[in-house]
Structure formats: C-alpha cells, structure tokens
Amino acid sequence: MTSKPLNPRRASAAGYCPNCRTYSNFQRLQVEYVWPRHLHDLREVANYGDKYKRWVMESVHECQYCRKTVLTQLVEWHGKDGRSLEEVRQIWPMREARELVDSAPAAMRDLFLEGGRCEAAGAYRAAGAMYRAAVEELCRDRGAAGKTLYDKIEDLVNRGVTREVVDDLHEARSLGNWSLHDGLEFSAEEVADVAELITEAVHIVYVEPAERKKMREARKARRDAFKAGAP
C-alpha cells in the first residue's frame, strides 16, 4: 500500500509513512530550491522572473510517529497547454508499487501492480493505461456486458455495484483514455487519486462481501457447535 507523496510546499501534512507504515502527521524540517539555482529562501525565486521555465524543489519531512524522515522532490514547469504543472516525487525511502488485496481477481491484481510500478517510476501515462486495464478486468470478472468499457462500467450497476463506485471507475477509464489517446499529461497526485479510487472500489466490491461471508460462516459454526453440544 502506498499513498500520495508529500508535497514540499506544505509545512505540515498527513499521510502514509514509508518508514513505519503508519498513517501519521508530518512536519517539514527543511525546504530549498536545488535547480537551476540553489536557493535556501524560496522567495528569491521571484527575482528570476521568467528566465527559467522549470524549477526543482526538495524538502525533508519528519514523521511525527516514528521520527524518521522522508525526502521528496517537486518539479514545477509550464505545460504545453500553458498551465503550470507540478510533479512530486518521493526520493527516499523509495516508493513501493501499489498492490491490491488478495480478494481481488488475480488478473486484476497483476495489471494494477504493473500500473503501480509505472507510477512509482514516474511513468504516469503508462500507469494510467494499466489502471484502466485493471478496471476492464474488474468488469470482466463481474460479467459486465457492453461494447465499450464505458458500457461495461455502466452495466455494473445492474450487478450490485453502487453508482458512486461506478462513477469512480469511470474516472480511471477517462484517465487511461486521455493518457493513451490524447497524450495528456497528468500530475503524480492526479494519478495517485485514481489509483486510490480503484483501491476503494475493490474494497467495496470484493473485500466487504468476503468479510460479511466470513462473519456469517462464523456465526453458523458457533450455532452448529452449540447445537451439537446441547443435551
């Protein structure tokens, strides 16, 4: 399991610590620009105006639970469409690839894991494509019908999946389509958000029913044992 990397611009944040594997609060200890100029005072970047189109910032955040640090890097630049883009990367400890729980179909887990590896490596278009493929595998496993992936996701409503989950899966479909067909660039946070939507969908579609079944079986076993021991 992984989460969005910490943003160097934020003095405090909450997230999943890659050191102690605990959801914790973080405090920033240090931040500075490291390229194309080394600036300790972030305000000095204004002195360079539009001379440089790309800046790289690095920060050190401390986990308030285990007190170990996390090194992150932010790259800011102007995209082809004119908007300002930010890409946040976790430098150390190295990010682990995302994985789905064993309750999910094996083929879906494999595709999602490959997407997680692409995401961890910063290959966000490839990650978007693999996350889309994972959603398509979920539809196949649930027997969803339709000519297009859009139709198949919509058909999940007829197979017991809530509208909220269906809408989340459409987000993953759109990310994959726009990454592959339009060549659209997405930030690390945007890709991470879609991956987490898929993870939540898997929990609702596969994990929760399995847990309820386990509890039903446990109650039945307790009742059977009680009846067997009764005089």
Side-chain angles (χ1 to χ4, degrees):
M1 184 73 177
T2 186
S3 64
K4 301 174 186 177
L6 297 167
N7 192 318
R9 293 190 182 281
R10 297 176 182 170
S12 61
Y16 183 77
C17 178
N19 296 297
C20 64
R21 302 177 184 274
T22 301
Y23 193 85
S24 178
N25 291 317
F26 291 83
Q27 290 295 322
R28 190 179 64 194
L29 303 180
Q30 178 180 323
V31 62
E32 59 188 3
Y33 281 108
V34 296
W35 189 89
R37 299 281 186 172
H38 189 195
L39 305 176
H40 293 291
D41 187 344
L42 302 186
R43 293 171 297 183
E44 292 183 18
V45 72
N47 297 334
Y48 294 91
D50 295 330
K51 183 177 181 180
Y52 302 111
K53 298 298 183 182
R54 184 172 299 201
W55 287 86
V56 179
M57 176 191 299
E58 290 186 352
S59 70
V60 177
H61 283 79
E62 181 185 63
C63 171
Q64 299 302 286
Y65 183 79
C66 69
R67 296 298 176 180
K68 289 186 177 180
T69 56
V70 180
L71 175 63
T72 55
Q73 182 183 85
L74 181 148
V75 181
E76 181 180 17
W77 74 99
H78 295 288
K80 296 178 182 179
D81 56 2
R83 66 173 178 149
S84 179
L85 301 175
E86 288 186 354
E87 180 179 323
V88 181
R89 305 166 182 165
Q90 182 175 302
I91 304 301
W92 196 263
M94 294 180 65
R95 297 190 69 198
E96 297 178 354
R98 298 176 185 271
E99 295 184 65
L100 293 176
V101 294
D102 292 341
S103 302
M108 183 184 184
R109 294 202 311 270
D110 289 343
L111 291 167
F112 189 87
L113 176 60
E114 188 169 345
R117 288 170 177 161
C118 292
E119 182 189 353
Y124 299 121
R125 289 180 185 173
M130 298 312 301
Y131 289 148
R132 180 190 184 280
V135 169
E136 191 160 14
E137 186 59 34
L138 183 152
C139 292
R140 189 200 66 77
D141 180 72
R142 305 303 290 184
K147 292 183 178 180
T148 66
L149 181 55
Y150 177 92
D151 295 334
K152 292 175 183 177
I153 293 174
E154 282 294 306
D155 188 53
L156 290 173
V157 174
N158 302 319
R159 301 172 191 280
V161 180
T162 66
R163 168 51 60 180
E164 182 178 4
V165 170
V166 165
D167 290 342
D168 288 344
L169 295 177
H170 275 309
E171 287 292 318
R173 175 189 60 82
S174 297
L175 181 84
N177 286 346
W178 295 334
S179 297
L180 287 171
H181 305 310
D182 299 335
L184 189 59
E185 298 178 1
F186 289 95
S187 69
E189 289 192 347
E190 289 170 324
V191 174
D193 182 64
V194 164
E196 288 170 10
L197 289 177
I198 296 174
T199 301
E200 292 171 6
V202 165
H203 184 82
I204 294 171
V205 174
Y206 293 103
V207 178
E208 289 182 356
E211 290 177 345
R212 287 194 293 269
K213 179 181 178 181
K214 184 177 179 180
M215 291 303 298
R216 285 196 300 268
E217 292 173 348
R219 287 191 294 269
K220 184 178 184 301
R222 181 182 293 275
R223 178 176 178 274
D224 292 345
F226 175 79
K227 291 180 66 176

